[in-house]
Amino acid sequence: MRQAVVVIHGIGEQRPMDTLRGFVEAMVPADTPEGTPTYWSKPDRLSRNFDLRVLKSRGRNTTDFYEYYWAHKMQGTKVGHLLSWLWDLFKRPRRDIPQAIVPIWRATRWTLLALVLLVASGTLATIYGRFNHDANPFALIPLLLAGVGIALKFSALSYLGDAARYLSSNPQNVVIREQIRADGVELLRGLHQQGYDRIIVVGHSLGSVIAYDIVGYLWYEHYDQLSNVTPANQALVERYANHEKLQPVVQDTLPKAGRSLDGRLQNTLKFREQQSEAFLEQRALGNPWRITDLVTIGSPMAHASLLLGRSVSDFKQRIARCEAPACPPTLDEKGYGYNAQSPVILGQKPFTPLYLHHAAAFAVTRWTNLYFPAPFGLFGDIVGGPVMPVMGAGVLDLPVSVGKWKGFLAKSWLSHTHYWSERGGKRGYLDGLTLDDSAIVNGERPSATEALRWAVDLRGGRRFRPVGAREALAESEA
């Protein structure tokens, strides 16, 4: 069993491999009790960046960890890029602002309004001689504005500048956005060509938006590829002759599980099971898609209607028009897909394949989202949040915690960079698919690192083997 994990870093002055090494040390113990390393490093042949390496785990199930590094493409960001983006967000009406960040949005508006009034009143008072120039209390305002400008240039620009350029479709940002997406798709395409049985994509912060984009773009190359559905496939001919359904999951059970989604965790887990079955069904019919999981961490996708759309209604329309892949996918003619134009003759009977549509990546790819809750938009990770209310009830949102500094870290803005900082935790809490409503709603939140291990699920790759390989493995173990 070969599986690959792709880690996509977030905003800031990131260095190659820093994010990946920290992530792998959280997923895989650094050394065995005997002192033998549990993973090693080898050159990354899929990247043109010589600083990048592949971290390869030891053991029965081989896992290769890749980093998609994009920070170097964001050079040259100017204050104008940031201010243009912030102004676009600032002028949005209240109805288009996600509830989680309303306090920050209001505070920013009132602060800016007070600053404008202060500058205007001070200017007018000076002009009309109310204050002497040598004893003017408003004379410090230029210094205050200069301080704000310095903070924007050397602090906010290093972090928010990345978001401003990637999330804004202004003409000056188009080239960078396309380079980042194209290279990300190229990496995922290369991993498919390497013959991995399973691929997991993990995105942190802005990297989660990039992950969402490239998964959706790559799916467009795979959604209608069912290469095993041919008259020469005797196994399919025999099954069809015996009146067996060739696509029972994507035709029946998956859409049924999608219709049952109502925000309850039990139904979400059932839908995820059907997503895994749909993945295996598509693979058996010859679809080359190998991405089983998207894991987003501290993701601004929680505010997708603000960041990726012009308004809440505009973003909903994009989902309805299949421009933005949702989870569960937007309904089409036949559940999440449509019938092929031409049938295939299997034996003596025609069979019309069902294709999942071009925005139905999350029919076969599970989406797990981890976040530190931020009550009132102040006490926690204000960048991330629950994604399910925006992107669909099929997303599994997991609120997490961290025990550092007696739990205060989880309630601060610093929590955004501590999703895999702890190596301990309650391992039994997330072993297997044992989560229930009471454990999430009423119980203690899981450790962020342990929740991440559960979401990536390195030990669960065996269920995604081809059917024949899984049966042979079961016989050998018996």
Side-chain angles (χ1 to χ4, degrees):
M1 173 69 189
R2 296 183 64 222
Q3 59 186 4
V5 179
V6 179
V7 180
I8 307 178
H9 66 78
I11 59 178
E13 297 292 336
Q14 304 282 351
R15 295 185 178 183
M17 296 300 294
D18 281 357
T19 299
L20 184 63
R21 288 195 177 97
F23 179 88
V24 173
E25 289 175 2
M27 294 297 102
V28 181
D31 298 303
T32 65
E34 295 78 20
T36 303
T38 54
Y39 66 89
W40 69 94
S41 172
K42 65 178 184 180
D44 183 355
R45 296 182 178 179
L46 298 179
S47 174
R48 291 167 292 185
N49 186 337
F50 293 107
D51 289 324
L52 295 181
R53 310 279 294 182
V54 178
L55 302 185
K56 191 179 187 71
S57 69
R58 299 179 183 270
R60 187 172 186 177
N61 292 332
T62 300
T63 303
D64 293 341
F65 295 89
Y66 293 81
E67 179 176 25
Y68 175 45
Y69 181 76
W70 54 268
H72 63 295
K73 300 180 185 298
M74 283 293 186
Q75 302 303 310
T77 302
K78 301 177 181 179
V79 174
H81 294 124
L82 178 59
L83 293 180
S84 175
W85 178 64
L86 291 177
W87 173 248
D88 180 66
L89 301 181
F90 176 80
K91 65 182 182 181
R92 300 281 181 93
R94 165 64 184 85
R95 63 179 179 274
D96 292 332
I97 304 299
Q99 185 61 38
I101 61 174
V102 166
I104 297 176
W105 176 79
R106 284 177 173 167
T108 303
R109 274 200 157 193
W110 283 109
T111 301
L112 184 59
L113 178 60
L115 185 60
V116 170
L117 291 176
L118 190 63
V119 172
S121 60
T123 302
L124 291 174
T126 302
I127 291 175
Y128 288 99
R130 296 292 182 180
F131 297 102
N132 296 325
H133 291 282
D134 57 349
N136 188 351
F138 296 97
L140 295 177
I141 291 179
L143 296 178
L144 175 63
L145 295 177
V148 172
I150 293 174
L152 284 174
K153 183 173 181 60
F154 295 102
S155 180
L157 193 62
S158 299
Y159 294 91
L160 293 180
D162 291 350
R165 302 203 69 183
Y166 186 83
L167 298 174
S168 174
S169 57
N170 289 338
Q172 58 190 347
N173 300 325
V174 169
V175 173
I176 287 180
R177 283 156 51 96
E178 294 310 303
Q179 287 178 349
I180 292 174
R181 291 167 176 171
D183 287 351
V185 170
E186 186 63 28
L187 172 60
L188 296 184
R189 187 184 294 122
L191 292 176
H192 279 75
Q193 295 170 355
Q194 292 294 312
Y196 287 102
D197 296 296
R198 180 192 181 206
I199 300 171
I200 306 104
V201 181
V202 182
H204 174 242
S205 188
L206 182 59
S208 67
V209 183
I210 298 173
Y212 168 83
D213 284 343
I214 63 179
V215 167
Y217 291 138
L218 185 67
W219 170 253
Y220 184 70
E221 301 179 7
H222 294 78
Y223 76 96
D224 59 350
Q225 297 185 32
L226 300 178
S227 58
N228 288 344
V229 184
T230 65
N233 191 326
Q234 290 300 315
L236 288 185
V237 170
E238 292 176 4
R239 288 175 55 193
Y240 198 55
N242 293 330
H243 304 286
E244 295 184 34
K245 287 187 175 182
L246 301 185
Q247 295 177 282
V249 180
V250 298
Q251 286 181 332
D252 300 320
T253 56
L254 178 65
K256 181 180 179 180
R259 289 191 295 270
S260 299
L261 290 169
D262 54 6
R264 291 188 297 175
L265 184 60
Q266 181 180 4
N267 291 334
T268 303
L269 293 178
K270 290 180 179 178
F271 178 72
R272 288 165 63 87
E273 291 175 1
Q274 292 305 311
Q275 287 175 300
S276 299
E277 292 300 320
F279 174 89
L280 293 172
E281 181 180 85
Q282 290 288 102
R283 178 168 185 171
L285 296 177
N287 192 300
W289 185 253
R290 294 294 180 266
I291 301 177
T292 63
D293 291 271
L294 170 65
V295 181
T296 54
I297 308 168
S299 176
M301 291 297 296
H303 320 301
S305 58
L306 173 69
L307 301 176
L308 304 183
R310 295 183 179 276
S311 65
V312 174
S313 60
D314 173 68
F315 190 70
K316 289 181 178 179
Q317 289 176 1
R318 294 187 185 191
I319 291 178
R321 293 192 298 258
C322 294
E323 293 180 19
C327 184
T330 303
L331 291 173
D332 205 319
E333 297 176 359
K334 301 286 185 179
Y336 303 133
Y338 59 91
N339 287 331
Q341 293 183 355
S342 302
V344 177
I345 303 300
L346 295 180
Q348 302 299 320
K349 299 188 298 182
F351 168 69
T352 303
L354 176 67
Y355 293 144
L356 293 169
H357 64 71
H358 68 274
F362 298 109
V364 292
T365 299
R366 303 177 300 186
W367 187 343
T368 310
N369 177 62
L370 276 60
Y371 68 98
F372 289 105
F376 309 110
L378 299 175
F379 308 105
D381 183 2
I382 62 173
V383 175
V387 169
M388 183 267 289
V390 184
M391 301 308 303
V395 180
L396 177 59
D397 282 325
L398 286 180
V400 296
S401 184
V402 61
K404 282 189 175 183
W405 303 344
K406 298 182 179 180
F408 289 112
L409 181 61
K411 300 177 182 179
S412 72
W413 291 357
L414 296 176
S415 61
H416 183 65
T417 60
H418 286 272
Y419 281 92
W420 55 81
S421 61
E422 289 190 317
R423 301 296 182 261
K426 300 180 179 179
R427 297 195 62 86
Y429 181 82
L430 289 172
D431 285 343
L433 294 174
T434 58
L435 298 176
D436 54 33
D437 290 316
S438 60
I440 292 294
V441 178
N442 300 320
E444 183 179 355
R445 294 192 186 103
S447 158
T449 302
E450 291 302 319
L452 183 56
R453 288 173 181 157
W454 177 84
V456 174
D457 192 20
L458 294 179
R459 297 182 179 180
R462 296 167 70 180
R463 75 168 68 98
F464 297 105
R465 288 176 181 269
V467 175
R470 289 190 296 161
E471 292 175 349
L473 178 63
E475 291 177 0
S476 65
E477 292 179 344

